[in-house]
Amino acid sequence: MKKILLLVSLISILTLSCVVFYVDDYISYGQANIFWGSKGDEVKTVQTKLKNWGYYNGSVDGVYGYKMYQSVKKFQKKNNLKQDGIVGNATKKALGIQAKKKATSRSDEIYLLSQAITGEARGEPYIGQVSVGAVILNRIKDSRFPHSIAGVVYQPGAFTAVDDGQINMKPTQSCIKAANDAINGWDPTGGAVYYWNPATATSKWIWRLKPIYKVGKHWFAKETY
């Protein structure tokens, strides 16, 4: 009888331990991710970004529902992310949202910027690579654009390298150095927030821009005529 009671007690303790670990993991998961049924200010932030960028047409009410789920999946597909509708760290990074548990470090920002430069300008002269990095950083300070490197880089339709997947290439050493120089304040463009290659540009709108600087194959501009 004592052996039976001891066995039952052990089973109860093991079961309780499993439940505790499961609950702890679930709570941690819920704190780190946003998914269907989530509520709060962080959900509103995601809704606002998706709405501003044309992915979401629902209410900014802080409640994760069906429309938001479809919008998140559309955003994930556009940015070559896992299409699960869960706003985890990778999707937050693409949205320009700082994860709660781990703040974006300077090294993370430099790496993403160097990826963008590699995708957009790896074949350009070094000063041209710095110039592309400078444009991305200049956009952060401009009210017309998102206010983070990730937000600017992943803004829908902003960069060809994001659309065709070249953003995921391993950065070249030259582009890493260019990213560091741009972040440290070197701006050869004089404040430009646009650049384009006249030989490959397909948008008619681009020809409204007033060029102020040229290096390699790229022209740079601050504003339209």
Side-chain angles (χ1 to χ4, degrees):
M1 185 67 181
K2 288 183 179 180
K3 288 183 178 180
I4 294 174
L5 288 174
L6 181 60
L7 182 60
V8 171
S9 298
L10 286 172
I11 292 172
S12 299
I13 291 170
L14 287 171
T15 302
L16 181 60
S17 297
C18 290
V19 170
V20 169
F21 283 128
Y22 174 81
V23 170
D24 284 345
D25 287 344
Y26 184 79
I27 291 172
S28 297
Y29 179 86
Q31 289 174 338
N33 299 289
I34 300 171
F35 45 88
W36 198 323
S38 297
K39 298 179 181 180
D41 290 338
E42 198 170 19
V43 175
K44 282 186 178 181
T45 299
V46 175
Q47 289 175 331
T48 299
K49 285 180 177 287
L50 292 174
K51 196 177 188 74
N52 289 342
W53 297 348
Y55 290 99
Y56 178 65
N57 62 1
S59 301
V60 180
D61 55 7
V63 179
Y64 192 131
Y66 177 76
K67 281 189 175 181
M68 185 173 172
Y69 174 74
Q70 293 297 327
S71 301
V72 169
K73 289 185 67 176
K74 184 177 178 181
F75 176 81
Q76 290 172 328
K77 182 178 180 180
K78 180 69 174 178
N79 290 282
N80 299 313
L81 299 168
K82 183 179 179 182
Q83 298 166 48
D84 56 7
I86 298 171
V87 184
N89 287 336
T91 302
K92 285 181 182 179
K93 184 177 179 181
L95 286 165
I97 297 173
Q98 180 176 294
K100 282 185 175 180
K101 290 196 169 184
K102 182 181 177 182
T104 302
S105 69
R106 182 179 173 87
S107 61
D108 289 337
E109 292 182 331
I110 292 172
Y111 190 80
L112 177 57
L113 185 59
S114 65
Q115 283 184 299
I117 296 171
T118 298
E120 292 282 316
R122 62 187 177 278
E124 292 294 301
Y126 182 71
I127 191 172
Q129 295 174 355
V130 178
S131 297
V132 167
V135 166
I136 293 171
L137 296 175
N138 289 339
R139 287 189 177 189
I140 295 173
K141 297 177 285 187
D142 191 304
S143 61
R144 294 171 292 179
F145 301 96
H147 300 303
S148 68
I149 290 176
V152 168
V153 169
Y154 288 108
Q155 186 174 20
F159 296 101
T160 303
V162 173
D163 292 338
D164 63 19
Q166 292 187 68
I167 187 67
N168 299 313
M169 293 178 63
K170 182 179 179 180
T172 66
Q173 288 301 310
S174 175
C175 291
I176 291 173
K177 187 173 183 295
N180 275 283
D181 280 340
I183 282 181
N184 287 329
W186 186 16
D187 180 6
T189 74
V193 291
Y194 301 103
Y195 68 87
W196 69 100
N197 181 343
T200 59
T202 56
S203 172
K204 293 181 179 179
W205 177 85
I206 210 76
W207 302 109
R208 296 170 53 196
L209 295 172
K210 183 179 180 180
I212 58 171
Y213 170 71
K214 180 183 183 298
V215 60
K217 297 178 181 179
H218 288 141
W219 284 93
F220 295 77
K222 286 183 179 181
E223 56 194 2
T224 57
Y225 281 104

